[in-house]
Amino acid sequence: MDFRKLKLYQTPIIFIFSCSAFYAAFAYDLERADFFKLIGLYLAVFFLSFKLIQMQKNNFWLLAGAALLFRLIFLFALPNLSQDFFRFIWDGRLITTGWNPYRYIPNELIEMNNFSLSQAVELIKGMGSLSAGHYSNYPPLNQFLFAISGYLSTSSILGSVIIFRLMIILADLGTLIFGRKLLRSLGLPEYRIFWYILNPFIIIEMTGNLHFESVMVFFLVLSLYLLQTRKWMISALVFGLSVSIKLLPLMLLPLFFNYFSTDKRSLNFSKLITYYLLVIATLAISFVPFYSEEIFSNFMASIGLWFGKFEFNASIYYLVRWVGFQVKGYNIIETAGKVLPAISLLIILGLSFFRNNATSRQLIENMLFAVTAYLLLSTTVHPWYLAIPLMLSLFTEFKYMLAWTLVVILSYFAYSNPEFQENPWLLALEYLVVLYYLGRDLFQRSKPQVAY
């Protein structure tokens, strides 16, 4: 027997077994308030996953199998770091019983005499007063996925969770396939896709906590792959589907301005306008089944809350807010919530008109910068928002998103106390790490690149 081969075979198995044990503890033996256990488990599984990818980066099927295994561990667990899934179930069952989730607020709907919904009280309690007091803000294709669960699981919360989880796992498998194809097409190392697929942040926040950014990322990656292979009309339709899951990719549309070019000096405006129209038409058509006179105002009112009322895990905004307290003596979120998005828009327009987006790699890099600027200027940065910039970073030479997905777990400290108070020192540590690695990436950009 060749003991050297046996040792090489056993090592990744030990790493996979250890990760599986930590993920099982995450899924079935963790409360969100237990911050130190949360941090310990996360750091351990992050380190093990990082080493596993480093050691086995050329063993595609082993890493792909591990990624699927880690996700299946969560299959029968209720999410323990987020309560959003209760609203997903509510909206899905609402649609299957003929109610429009964009027209009715849960707290008001449950008081109606003619209203009946399986486990309504339990769902209202689970989603919390904030969600129960506002219209749904999830775009139409996301609602369609909720409705599938509502149709297949009419009276079981766990049953609905399992259906959601299978959808997200399938989306991640799609991202694995087309992300790998896109990396290959761009001449980049294929194993980079595992910095997303095997990233504990993705596994825990998407499969574990049921955030549908995973589906949005799948459609975005597929759209970029189709664009790279010159199937630009289908790319536009798929891009529209991505927006219909989560609105965030909509901010990336200006970056296509000089992508469609007939040569280095002129743009093909017909292609550009057609691309934009196909994206917008896809999004608009997805809203048709939910159309009512109130839909636009209700939907935008819910979206507007994120800019003018909510604040969590912010960076630049918290500095602006502190200055506001010193100068004005009160929280200036309503003003900052309007000014900071405007600055984000100006940055995106600058990236669109003053930087080269003629190739797919240049386009993706500027997409990464655009989303990063948006997040750094946002009033609310939930951990799962990092999914899209993490994926985009794989197609560039920038590595700072890997560091951000490690330190973003510090934001969960807010849930370790009854007042949900954030720790400014932990937030400072998080963003200092992010800015350090971002600065280092920018500084080293002119030097010879090393694959990661």
Side-chain angles (χ1 to χ4, degrees):
M1 179 181 293
D2 190 335
F3 289 99
R4 291 176 298 175
K5 290 184 178 180
L6 180 62
K7 184 177 180 180
L8 289 173
Y9 174 75
Q10 286 180 333
T11 301
I13 298 303
I14 292 174
F15 275 77
I16 292 171
F17 178 82
S18 300
C19 284
S20 298
F22 286 126
Y23 279 126
F26 238 110
Y28 301 97
D29 190 34
L30 176 67
E31 294 183 6
R32 186 169 64 173
D34 194 346
F35 178 69
F36 292 105
K37 184 175 182 179
L38 171 65
I39 288 291
L41 289 172
Y42 191 79
L43 292 178
V45 77
F46 205 99
F47 171 78
L48 291 171
S49 299
F50 187 91
K51 298 303 293 184
L52 179 63
I53 297 170
Q54 279 190 327
M55 292 187 304
Q56 299 294 320
K57 63 183 181 181
N58 296 320
N59 194 338
F60 175 84
W61 290 110
L62 184 141
L63 294 180
L68 179 59
L69 171 63
F70 298 158
R71 285 163 169 79
L72 291 176
I73 288 171
F74 286 86
L75 190 59
F76 300 104
L78 292 178
N80 52 14
L81 299 182
S82 172
Q83 60 198 55
D84 291 350
F85 70 98
F86 287 105
R87 183 61 185 259
F88 303 163
I89 298 172
W90 172 276
D91 282 4
R93 291 182 184 175
L94 215 59
I95 295 169
T96 59
T97 51
W99 297 85
N100 189 333
Y102 298 126
R103 291 189 64 185
Y104 302 98
I105 293 174
N107 279 340
E108 296 175 355
L109 197 56
I110 201 170
E111 299 296 330
M112 295 184 180
N113 293 329
N114 63 334
F115 177 73
S116 177
L117 192 73
S118 177
Q119 298 178 296
V121 175
E122 189 173 352
L123 293 174
I124 288 278
K125 182 179 179 181
M127 72 177 71
S129 59
L130 186 61
S131 180
H134 295 95
Y135 299 103
S136 182
N137 65 343
Y138 301 104
L141 186 53
N142 215 165
Q143 296 285 358
F144 175 73
L145 299 180
F146 300 162
I148 292 175
S149 175
Y151 177 78
L152 296 176
S153 179
T154 59
S155 58
S156 169
I157 289 177
L158 179 58
S160 298
V161 164
I162 292 172
I163 294 168
F164 289 149
R165 198 157 273 146
L166 291 174
M167 292 176 182
I168 290 171
I169 291 174
L170 287 174
D172 280 347
L173 292 177
T175 298
L176 172 63
I177 294 169
F178 289 101
R180 184 190 186 199
K181 287 178 177 288
L182 182 55
L183 285 167
R184 184 188 304 152
S185 179
L186 295 174
L188 296 170
E190 295 178 14
Y191 67 82
R192 284 190 184 184
I193 193 61
F194 290 108
W195 294 120
Y196 178 91
I197 294 297
L198 271 175
N199 194 312
F201 156 74
I202 293 297
I203 295 173
I204 291 167
E205 291 293 356
M206 308 303 147
T207 303
N209 294 329
L210 299 181
H211 293 298
F212 279 80
E213 275 75 6
S214 196
V215 182
M216 172 194 68
V217 165
F218 161 66
F219 283 124
L220 181 60
V221 168
L222 177 57
S223 175
L224 292 172
Y225 173 71
L226 291 168
L227 195 65
Q228 169 67 10
T229 54
R230 303 190 182 281
K231 300 179 178 68
W232 62 272
M233 295 185 72
I234 304 176
S235 168
L237 296 175
V238 176
F239 193 98
L241 295 178
S242 181
V243 176
S244 193
I245 291 290
K246 299 287 182 178
L247 295 180
L248 184 62
L250 200 60
M251 74 169 66
L252 303 176
L253 281 182
L255 295 167
F256 288 90
F257 181 77
N258 62 9
Y259 180 81
F260 296 101
S261 59
T262 53
D263 55 45
K264 293 183 179 180
R265 296 180 301 277
S266 61
L267 298 176
N268 189 328
F269 280 101
S270 62
K271 278 188 178 182
L272 176 68
I273 298 303
T274 302
Y275 195 92
Y276 284 166
L277 289 176
L278 287 172
V279 172
I280 300 302
T282 302
L283 178 62
I285 291 170
S286 70
F287 271 102
V288 169
F290 301 98
Y291 177 76
S292 71
E293 293 182 0
E294 308 95 336
I295 180 174
F296 183 76
S297 60
N298 292 348
F299 184 73
M300 294 309 296
S302 294
I303 296 297
L305 289 171
W306 295 102
F307 296 99
K309 297 294 182 183
F310 301 154
E311 48 188 28
F312 178 78
N313 192 36
S315 54
I316 293 175
Y317 162 69
Y318 280 164
L319 296 177
V320 171
R321 186 185 66 177
W322 180 84
V323 172
F325 274 116
Q326 307 309 308
V327 176
K328 297 289 187 179
Y330 57 85
N331 192 335
I332 60 170
I333 185 172
E334 291 193 10
T335 301
K338 296 175 182 177
V339 174
L340 293 177
I343 296 174
S344 296
L345 177 59
L346 290 175
I347 292 173
I348 293 171
L349 293 177
L351 293 170
S352 302
F353 300 126
F354 299 108
R355 284 181 61 87
N356 195 349
N357 293 315
T359 69
S360 294
R361 289 189 65 174
Q362 291 168 335
L363 176 66
I364 293 172
E365 181 178 284
N366 286 317
M367 285 181 171
L368 173 61
F369 292 157
V371 179
T372 300
Y374 166 76
L375 292 176
L376 291 176
L377 290 166
S378 291
T379 62
T380 303
V381 183
H382 288 299
W384 50 93
Y385 292 3
L386 303 187
I388 185 169
L390 172 64
M391 172 51 69
L392 293 171
S393 72
L394 304 185
F395 307 100
T396 75
E397 299 305 329
F398 290 87
K399 311 176 184 67
Y400 66 91
M401 283 308 308
L402 293 175
W404 201 346
T405 59
L406 171 62
V407 295
V408 73
I409 198 68
L410 297 174
S411 66
Y412 275 103
F413 176 84
Y415 301 103
S416 66
N417 56 87
E419 298 81 20
F420 297 103
Q421 291 293 318
E422 297 178 275
N423 186 312
W425 297 107
L426 292 179
L427 290 179
L429 175 60
E430 174 188 346
Y431 284 103
L432 284 174
V433 169
V434 173
L435 292 175
Y436 167 76
Y437 280 98
L438 174 58
R440 192 183 71 166
D441 285 347
L442 291 170
F443 179 75
Q444 294 180 343
R445 186 174 186 181
S446 60
K447 298 180 179 181
Q449 302 299 326
V450 178
Y452 68 99

